[in-house]
């Protein structure tokens, strides 16, 4: 099996990497994967994840909602209701952060295409990229979107987009450094980059530890905090302009985390923990279960 063996930290290039914990793939296979951390900068990642085509089987589950759009089960039903609300919030955020009513947007990891379609309805020109063939087919059939595969990222013209979005996608991408580089190249000088990722320094992550659902090994390779996200941005020519909590994520992730612990009352216990986590994020947004980051390209001094 091809695996991604990380010998040096992609953030600081440090080679002192330490074992943190072992997490179980509670979603698809029941296999165990180790979480490591850089002793120098604190960046955290899943070690020895399946690489290339080997990772595909870990997404091939009938209830993997990002790819299949399933409504089966209580958790997925909740996901759909929250997504409907969040689509409106995402559209509003794009326009507010970009100071544009319309423009050209690239949505990377578009999944089944709901967000890309919502932006197109607002008269934005939208390009979309999605690795999973089944999800691409759904987006094309359901919304008539022209969704390209992941190879398109290297074929798009530099300076083409006013906005690039990655909604819970960056943590999945094997070529992390290359992706950051391309994001900078593809944006216009005044373009903005919007990235949403889980936050392993959140209240719910600290509570559930190895059972925290947003570790989601081996699908999630990289595990971010506000500090490491800011450092990645700086490293690749960006300035973090703002960051916002994603309040609903704590509820959904906590419910899934309770299932990972084997709880028989996962919905109720998860809702309780999600409520506490939500209050923590109100006091300090850096403790939110997931965070949306807004980056602008750093302008060269003249």
């Amino acid at each position: 099996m091809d695996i991604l063996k990380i010998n040096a930290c992609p953030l600081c290039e440090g080679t002192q990497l330490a074992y943190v914990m072992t997490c179980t793939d509670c979603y698809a296979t029941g296999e165990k994967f180790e979480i490591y951390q850089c002793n120098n900068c604190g960046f955290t990642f899943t070690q020895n994840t399946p690489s290339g085509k080997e990772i595909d089987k870990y997404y091939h589950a009938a209830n993997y909602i990002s790819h299949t759009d399933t409504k089966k089960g209580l958790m997925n039903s909740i996901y759909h209701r929250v997504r409907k609300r969040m689509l409106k919030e995402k559209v509003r955020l794009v326009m507010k952060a970009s100071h544009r009513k319309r423009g050209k947007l690239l949505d990377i990891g578009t999944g089944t295409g709901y967000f890309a379609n919502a932006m197109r309805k607002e008269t934005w020109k939208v390009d979309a990229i999605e690795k999973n063939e089944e999800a691409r087919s759904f987006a094309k059939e359901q919304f008539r979107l022209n969704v390209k595969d992941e190879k398109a990222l290297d074929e798009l013209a530099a300076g083409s987009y006013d906005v690039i979005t990655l909604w819970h996608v960056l943590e999945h991408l094997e070529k992390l450094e290359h992706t950051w580089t391309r994001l900078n190249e593809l944006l216009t000088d005044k373009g903005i980059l919007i990235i949403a990722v889980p936050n392993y320094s959140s209240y719910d992550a600290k509570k559930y530890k190895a059972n925290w659902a947003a570790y989601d090994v081996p699908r999630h390779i990289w595990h971010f905090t506000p500090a490491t996200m800011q450092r990645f941005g700086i490293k690749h020519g960006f300035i973090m302009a703002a960051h916002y909590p994603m309040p609903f994520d704590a509820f959904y992730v906590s419910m899934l985390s309770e299932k990972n612990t084997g709880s028989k009352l996962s919905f109720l216990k998860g809702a309780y923990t999600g409520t506490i986590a939500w209050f923590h994020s109100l006091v300090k947004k850096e403790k939110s279960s997931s965070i949306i980051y807004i980056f602008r390209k750093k302008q060269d001094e003249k």
Side-chain angles (χ1 to χ4, degrees), residues 198-214:
N199 171 28
Y200 85 86
S201 62
S202 65
Y203 172 84
D204 45 307
K206 299 300 182 185
K207 173 180 172 60
Y208 291 111
K209 299 181 174 64
N211 288 313
W212 188 50

Side-chain angles (χ1 to χ4, degrees), residues 14-286:
T15 56
Q16 299 299 311
L17 310 176
Y19 167 82
V20 177
M21 69 178 86
T22 298
C23 296
T24 302
D25 174 15
C26 296
Y27 194 83
T29 67
E31 295 175 50
K32 296 184 181 297
F33 295 88
E34 295 179 340
I35 305 293
Y36 271 65
Q37 187 175 74
C38 174
N39 285 337
N40 182 49
C41 70
F43 184 57
T44 303
F45 53 88
T46 307
Q47 186 64 282
N48 296 329
T49 59
S51 178
K53 292 295 183 181
E54 298 288 348
I55 193 65
D56 290 352
K57 74 173 184 178
Y58 296 89
Y59 290 92
H60 289 166
N63 59 341
Y64 192 68
I65 191 167
S66 295
H67 290 170
T68 66
D69 203 52
T70 180
K71 295 181 176 68
K72 182 180 179 181
L74 179 61
M75 296 300 182
N76 289 331
S77 177
I78 293 171
Y79 178 92
H80 276 274
R81 295 189 180 201
V82 171
R83 179 172 62 186
K84 186 176 181 180
R85 164 75 181 275
M86 287 304 298
L87 278 175
K88 296 179 181 179
E89 296 297 326
K90 288 176 180 178
V91 169
R92 188 178 298 116
L93 177 62
V94 167
M95 294 185 179
K96 177 182 177 182
S98 66
H99 305 292
R100 289 175 171 273
K101 292 288 187 180
R102 59 187 57 84
K104 191 171 182 181
L105 180 142
L106 173 64
D107 187 36
I108 300 175
T110 199
T112 47
Y114 278 85
F115 170 72
N117 183 58
M119 290 304 302
R120 192 178 61 178
K121 285 182 177 179
E122 297 293 331
T123 70
W124 280 65
K125 294 180 180 179
V126 179
D127 289 333
I129 292 176
E130 171 55 49
K131 178 181 179 180
N132 183 266
E133 184 177 356
E134 184 179 358
R136 289 199 307 272
S137 296
F138 181 95
K140 290 176 182 178
E141 294 172 8
Q142 185 77 9
F143 302 120
R144 301 185 187 279
L145 290 168
N146 180 22
V147 184
K148 300 177 175 66
D149 65 24
E150 73 274 19
K151 296 177 184 177
L153 188 64
D154 291 326
E155 299 167 356
L156 298 170
S160 296
Y161 297 98
D162 302 302
V163 178
I164 299 177
T165 54
L166 298 92
W167 301 107
H168 286 292
V169 172
L170 191 66
E171 62 269 29
H172 294 263
L173 302 181
E174 184 175 327
K175 298 179 180 179
L176 182 62
E177 286 288 271
H178 177 69
T179 299
W180 274 103
T181 299
R182 285 298 288 153
L183 294 174
N184 190 295
E185 292 171 349
L186 291 171
L187 279 172
T188 62
D189 287 343
K190 293 185 178 180
I192 63 165
L193 171 64
I194 301 178
I195 301 177
V197 288
N199 171 28
Y200 85 86
S201 62
S202 65
Y203 172 84
D204 45 307
K206 299 300 182 185
K207 173 180 172 60
Y208 291 111
K209 299 181 174 64
N211 288 313
W212 188 50
Y215 280 124
D216 198 22
V217 295
R219 290 160 293 276
H220 289 188
I221 305 170
W222 318 108
H223 309 290
F224 300 96
T225 65
T228 56
M229 280 296 291
Q230 184 170 34
R231 287 191 62 176
F232 268 112
I234 292 170
K235 180 179 180 181
H236 292 277
F238 291 101
I239 296 172
M240 187 189 294
H243 59 291
Y244 304 100
M246 299 187 77
F248 292 114
D249 279 37
F251 294 92
Y252 184 69
V253 170
S254 294
M255 291 174 189
L256 292 176
S257 300
E258 287 290 341
K259 286 185 67 175
N260 291 349
T261 68
S263 171
K264 295 182 179 179
L265 298 171
S266 59
F267 179 83
L268 293 176
K269 289 183 178 180
Y272 174 75
T273 298
T275 301
I276 297 174
W278 179 69
F279 278 113
H280 275 265
S281 69
L282 289 179
V283 175
K284 190 174 183 180
K285 59 185 176 182
E286 288 79 10

